[in-house]
Amino acid sequence: DQQVKQNSPSLSVQEGRISILNCDYTNSMFDYFLWYKKYPAEGPTFLISISSIKDKNEDGRFTVFLNKSAKHLSLHIVPSQPGDSAVYFCAASATYGQNFVFGPGTRLSVLP
Amino acid sequence: DADVTQTPRNRITKTGKRIMLECSQTKGHDRMYWYRQDPGLGLRLIYYSFDVKDINKGEISDGYSVSRQAQAKFSLSLESAIPNQTALYFCATSSSLTSGTYNEQFFGPGTRLTVL
């Protein structure tokens, strides 16, 4: 049973529009969340994080929102660019950034 | 130069063979991890090591073993490979957690292993 779920395997968005990637989790002990981006033939790279004491964290075009009561987080990319086309993994930790549980990933395609 | 390197990048082997995947890092990190990625399942933790004398099983350690030869090196072995170990394997590193910071993991480029 997956503790971290990304129910959309893929998402296509037009360049310049907003991309919204969703992540749901089941373990109420999770208190730290990360998003990673992965290009083909490369390892995942860190994108943005959020701790459970916040409900929003912003870094340039990337914003992560956390809704603890719903056990849901989302990654917003505005505006989306073709270079954002990648697989995005959501990851959660129950011990403030120690071992993470990863979701299955969402493949984002940003169309020019 | 890559901070986290994995060798080999691709390997095809046969059922029953012993395989070793190697990971080296120049980041000076004390923590190292091995994950496997399967379609639809994301990355699952196989083993992790918080320092040279510390080895811990992850979510899916059965059929695997590891060795932390030095702070910079962490190898993963499949003693007798089987087809359902066909996957993409990633090594990652991180630094000890300090107050107020997060434990970002840095990943290698991956090893694609096929067991026939």
Side-chain angles (χ1 to χ4, degrees), chain A:
Chain A
D1 187 30
Q2 288 188 337
Q3 297 186 69
V4 178
K5 302 176 184 180
Q6 295 176 256
N7 292 322
S8 298
S10 63
L11 175 68
S12 292
V13 172
Q14 209 68 35
E15 181 179 4
R17 306 295 290 267
I18 184 171
S19 295
I20 300 176
L21 294 91
N22 294 304
C23 177
D24 296 286
Y25 60 95
T26 58
N27 188 342
S28 58
M29 298 299 291
F30 286 150
D31 59 5
Y32 204 82
F33 306 88
L34 274 66
W35 284 93
Y36 280 85
K37 178 168 74 173
K38 183 185 179 304
Y39 293 119
E42 296 182 10
T45 55
F46 170 75
L47 189 57
I48 193 168
S49 66
I50 190 166
S51 74
S52 59
I53 61 173
K54 294 186 174 182
D55 54 17
K56 176 182 174 181
N57 189 26
E58 193 170 354
D59 183 2
R61 296 184 298 113
F62 302 91
T63 303
V64 57
F65 296 91
L66 175 62
N67 182 334
K68 291 187 289 294
S69 60
K71 296 190 182 69
H72 176 83
L73 62 156
S74 60
L75 174 68
H76 293 210
I77 306 173
V78 183
S80 301
Q81 301 173 353
D84 296 328
S85 296
V87 176
Y88 289 79
F89 292 101
C90 170
S93 168
T95 50
Y96 194 67
Q98 299 226 12
N99 294 335
F100 286 93
V101 178
F102 284 78
T106 295
R107 182 178 301 278
L108 173 66
S109 298
V110 180
L111 309 173

Side-chain angles (χ1 to χ4, degrees), chain B residues 46-114:
Chain B
I46 306 172
Y47 270 96
Y48 61 101
S49 168
F50 281 177
D51 65 41
V52 174
K53 297 186 179 184
D54 176 77
I55 301 289
N56 303 281
K57 292 183 178 181
E59 179 187 353
I60 53 163
S61 58
D62 287 349
Y64 302 94
S65 62
V66 291
S67 173
R68 185 85 183 265
Q69 302 95 320
Q71 186 182 46
K73 295 184 183 296
F74 193 36
S75 60
L76 175 72
S77 293
L78 289 69
E79 296 300 326
S80 180
I82 56 177
N84 76 359
Q85 291 177 313
T86 293
L88 190 53
Y89 289 84
F90 288 101
C91 173
T93 74
S94 70
S95 157
S96 299
L97 200 64
T98 56
S99 176
T101 66
Y102 54 83
N103 187 23
E104 177 189 346
Q105 294 180 12
F106 295 82
F107 286 81
T111 294
R112 185 168 296 280
L113 177 66
T114 302

Side-chain angles (χ1 to χ4, degrees), chain B residues 3-22:
Chain B
D3 295 318
V4 184
T5 57
Q6 292 182 234
T7 55
R9 294 294 311 275
N10 289 284
R11 182 72 184 268
I12 300 174
T13 191
K14 294 183 179 180
T15 297
K17 294 291 189 181
R18 184 178 186 274
I19 294 296
M20 179 180 286
L21 308 183
E22 301 194 17

